[in-house]
Amino acid sequence: MRIIQISDTHLSPGKTHFADNWAPLARWIGEQCPDLVIHTGDVTVDGADLEEDLRSTAELMRGLGVRFRTVPGNHDVGDPRHDHQPVNEARLERWRAHFGPDRWVEDVEDCRLIGFDAMLLGSGEREEALQARWLEAVMNDARDRRIAWFLHRPLFLDNPDEDDTGYWSVKPQPRVGLLDLTRLHSVALVASGHLHKAHNFVRDGTRYIWAPSSAFLVGPRMKAPPMPGEHRLGAVVYEIEGRNIEPRIIAVPGLSPHWIDDVAEEVYPRRPDKSAALPSGLRNR
Ligand SMILES: [Fe+2]
Ligand SMILES: [Fe+2]
């Protein structure tokens, strides 16, 4: 069984800055003949506010001609407790209308793949508690299948015990419960996106994969905190056989290495009420 993870395509019919990378990505996916494609979010430039971004990008995903699953990113459904673009019922409903559920289970060989919505973590939304109960239930129900998680935001950047990294990783409070679950169920893999960096490492018996974006790289002007990983574009191929999950981060041929730093003001303009000193990453724009 071959599964491809793609992430952070940041597509929009109105903002086509990264659109040239879709065709080579789609072509390469076709050549790989995957059984399933998993998109780990930031599918759109601004699906959180523009339904047209969701509609047109879902159409592109269907055009792949491969079964796919998606989990939303902050640019698709908003951020927990964000001042201007909070994740909420209305945004989640819009997402689901175009991409289907934001949490799901796929049983593959002797593994259970679980996708869930990282944007709910720490949101206080009713759905957050429902998702937490659902996650525990589907993990308890996995029996002896190996478990792999797919979510947009990484659980941590450098260290499971680190403080709040703001925009960049899951908040410490929800992180604790999730890390407890990974230990309790010996989770084999946690695969995420969001950072636009490629990284593959093992911590406490769990493999962590940061899937690279296929759209753009994030440079120094975005003020990311220090973190490991490589600045490169691409995708991830997982070969799954029995209980074995073999990931490979791939440099997809033909992708143009855009840098968000060069076009941030056009793609994610600052809000008029924000001072220039505030932006950290793309969140407060
Ligand atoms: Fe992204
Ligand atoms: Fe993101």
Side-chain angles (χ1 to χ4, degrees):
M1 182 98 177
R2 175 175 290 174
I3 290 171
I4 286 180
Q5 180 189 3
I6 58 175
S7 205
D8 296 86
T9 44
H10 290 261
L11 292 164
S12 163
K15 292 186 174 174
T16 55
H17 299 71
F18 319 114
D20 60 335
N21 280 346
W22 178 254
L25 180 68
R27 189 165 52 240
W28 173 81
I29 290 171
E31 289 163 4
Q32 300 303 307
C33 302
D35 299 286
L36 179 70
V37 170
I38 297 174
H39 196 314
T40 41
D42 284 357
V43 182
T44 63
V45 168
D46 192 19
D49 274 346
L50 302 174
E51 184 158 13
E52 191 46 40
D53 277 18
L54 295 173
R55 190 192 332 275
S56 69
T57 311
E59 217 169 283
L60 289 176
M61 288 294 291
R62 284 193 293 274
L64 293 173
V66 184
R67 207 163 71 77
F68 67 87
R69 289 287 203 176
T70 50
V71 289
N74 46 302
H75 291 292
D76 304 316
V77 296
D79 249 308
R81 302 176 192 272
H82 192 273
D83 286 349
H84 302 283
Q85 214 172 48
V87 64
N88 58 29
E89 280 293 325
R91 290 195 164 98
L92 290 171
E93 273 313 305
R94 271 208 308 267
W95 165 268
R96 291 174 187 140
H98 295 284
F99 286 97
D102 55 335
R103 53 179 184 260
W104 43 262
V105 172
E106 289 277 341
D107 285 336
V108 167
E109 299 263 327
D110 298 325
C111 298
R112 169 162 283 196
L113 317 183
I114 302 174
F116 62 96
D117 186 346
M119 298 306 110
L120 285 171
L121 303 171
S123 69
E125 287 289 308
R126 193 178 68 95
E127 278 289 310
E128 182 184 10
L130 294 175
Q131 175 171 267
R133 282 207 291 281
W134 169 89
L135 182 60
E136 281 202 50
V138 295
M139 291 185 72
N140 286 330
D141 190 39
R143 303 195 181 169
D144 55 356
R145 287 179 183 276
R146 284 189 99 198
I147 292 175
W149 283 359
F150 291 83
L151 75 170
H152 181 63
R153 212 165 233 154
L155 297 184
F156 57 89
L157 297 183
D158 210 18
N159 183 336
D161 302 319
E162 71 199 8
D163 287 339
D164 192 344
T165 66
Y167 172 81
W168 303 93
S169 64
V170 170
K171 298 283 180 207
Q173 198 260 330
R175 182 200 297 151
V176 168
L178 290 167
L179 286 170
D180 284 348
L181 272 184
T182 65
R183 292 185 198 106
L184 185 64
H185 294 271
S186 304
V187 169
L189 168 76
V190 176
S192 54
H194 184 58
L195 298 174
H196 295 235
K197 288 184 104 176
H199 198 27
N200 176 353
F201 65 102
V202 175
R203 181 64 71 99
D204 300 330
T206 298
R207 181 168 298 283
Y208 290 84
I209 295 282
W210 295 357
S213 164
S214 60
F216 62 79
L217 302 162
V218 175
R221 275 178 274 165
M222 294 300 111
K223 299 188 172 121
M227 68 176 90
E230 281 177 74
H231 290 294
R232 53 186 274 204
L233 299 182
V236 189
V237 176
Y238 299 92
E239 305 287 355
I240 302 183
E241 208 181 316
R243 293 171 53 77
N244 195 40
I245 305 173
E246 206 55 57
R248 272 179 304 141
I249 298 176
I250 305 284
V252 174
L255 296 184
S256 305
H258 304 289
W259 288 86
I260 188 67
D261 310 42
D262 299 332
V263 291
E265 281 306 322
E266 286 172 36
V267 181
Y268 293 112
R270 283 186 186 88
R271 292 173 197 277
D273 57 331
K274 291 282 172 185
S275 83
L278 274 178
S280 171
L282 305 173
R283 178 186 179 177
N284 290 319
R285 301 187 78 84

